[in-house]
Amino acid sequence: DAVAFDGTNIWVANHGDGTVTKLLASTGAVVGTYPVGSGPDAVAFDGTNIWVANSGDNTVTKLLASTGAVVGTYTVENSPSGVAFDGTNIWVTNFGYSVTKLLASTGAVVGTYEVGDFPVGIAFDGTNIWAANHDSDSVTKLLASTGAFVSQYAVGSEPSGVAFDGTNIWVANWGANTVTKLLASSGADVGTYAVGSAPYGIAYDGTNIWVANGGSNSVTKLLASTGALVGTYSVGSGPRGVAFDGTNIWVANYASNTVTKIGATR
């Protein structure tokens, strides 16, 4: 369902069985599979630990990345579905109207902040947190240091995934088969670009934006500087999560219980 890179390994959230699987990025070999909460939907790395948002039991699980040992499980709000790290804190989208900020070192809740309707994806731009509000066709920008509301910007229909390219915020609009590019500093709309059917996950590889198209079993590669289409590549069934390991793109295929590894330079 979701995928993240820890510097050596790829971590995949297995929604249906309440686990995460750790794969060696160089070979794809399974290192281990570890229990987390119910319905894991999102995964992030904080430099030492893996954090998993468990939509089925309103928790996040913290695992030691080196061993997979559970460090702690922390309660958040309703159906957490996105997770991001800001350098100090873990941010979790709650599938209602809020995001929760946890201190990564301890798991203590720092605060919970209102955003739009049913936030899903979340990303950090170095200063601000961006939450994609699936049911209000918008993204909310919060000051990461305080959680203060900065602004909210319209995007396409049913936004789900969000990523930062160093200058711009990219949003995958699940209901519109597009991605929207916003200037992170101002929220100005830079452009909207067609991708495949039901885009969900989105990632940046240093040059390109990659979008997992859940409805067309493909990933779309766009040149981040212009939004130009570079290519579209077939993956497994129902792709959702996407991540970059420094060399390859990894795609979590929800409907086929697989991950696909693609050379980023292809």
Side-chain angles (χ1 to χ4, degrees):
D1 197 17
V3 60
F5 179 56
D6 72 4
T8 302
N9 306 286
I10 291 292
W11 292 79
V12 184
N14 305 307
H15 177 90
D17 64 6
T19 64
V20 290
T21 296
K22 179 181 179 180
L23 306 173
L24 191 60
S26 58
T27 66
V30 173
V31 179
T33 296
Y34 311 99
V36 290
S38 173
D41 269 349
V43 59
F45 178 55
D46 72 3
T48 302
N49 306 286
I50 290 291
W51 291 79
V52 184
N54 306 304
S55 64
D57 61 12
N58 305 336
T59 64
V60 289
T61 301
K62 180 181 179 181
L63 306 173
L64 190 60
S66 58
T67 66
V70 173
V71 178
T73 300
Y74 311 100
T75 300
V76 289
E77 294 197 347
N78 185 53
S79 298
S81 54
V83 61
F85 178 55
D86 72 4
T88 302
N89 306 286
I90 291 291
W91 291 80
V92 184
T93 56
N94 305 303
F95 202 63
Y97 307 93
S98 69
V99 295
T100 297
K101 179 181 179 181
L102 306 171
L103 190 61
S105 58
T106 66
V109 173
V110 178
T112 297
Y113 312 99
E114 186 173 325
V115 290
D117 294 352
F118 298 103
V120 180
I122 190 165
F124 177 57
D125 72 3
T127 302
N128 304 287
I129 288 291
W130 294 77
N133 305 308
H134 186 271
D135 282 16
S136 55
D137 301 343
S138 65
V139 289
T140 299
K141 181 180 180 180
L142 304 176
L143 189 62
S145 57
T146 64
F149 177 83
V150 178
S151 195
Q152 193 157 290
Y153 310 99
V155 290
S157 175
E158 298 177 309
S160 296
V162 58
F164 178 56
D165 72 4
T167 302
N168 305 286
I169 290 291
W170 291 79
V171 184
N173 303 306
W174 186 85
N177 304 334
T178 62
V179 293
T180 298
K181 179 181 179 181
L182 304 175
L183 190 61
S185 58
S186 66
D189 190 327
V190 178
T192 297
Y193 311 98
V195 289
S197 173
Y200 194 90
I202 187 166
Y204 177 56
D205 73 4
T207 302
N208 305 288
I209 290 290
W210 292 79
V211 185
N213 305 306
S216 53
N217 303 334
S218 66
V219 289
T220 298
K221 180 181 180 181
L222 304 174
L223 189 61
S225 58
T226 65
L229 176 66
V230 178
T232 299
Y233 311 100
S234 295
V235 292
S237 180
R240 289 192 182 180
V242 58
F244 178 56
D245 72 3
T247 303
N248 302 289
I249 291 291
W250 291 79
V251 184
N253 306 304
Y254 178 82
S256 59
N257 301 328
T258 61
V259 290
T260 301
K261 180 181 180 180
I262 299 171
T265 57
R266 67 176 295 175

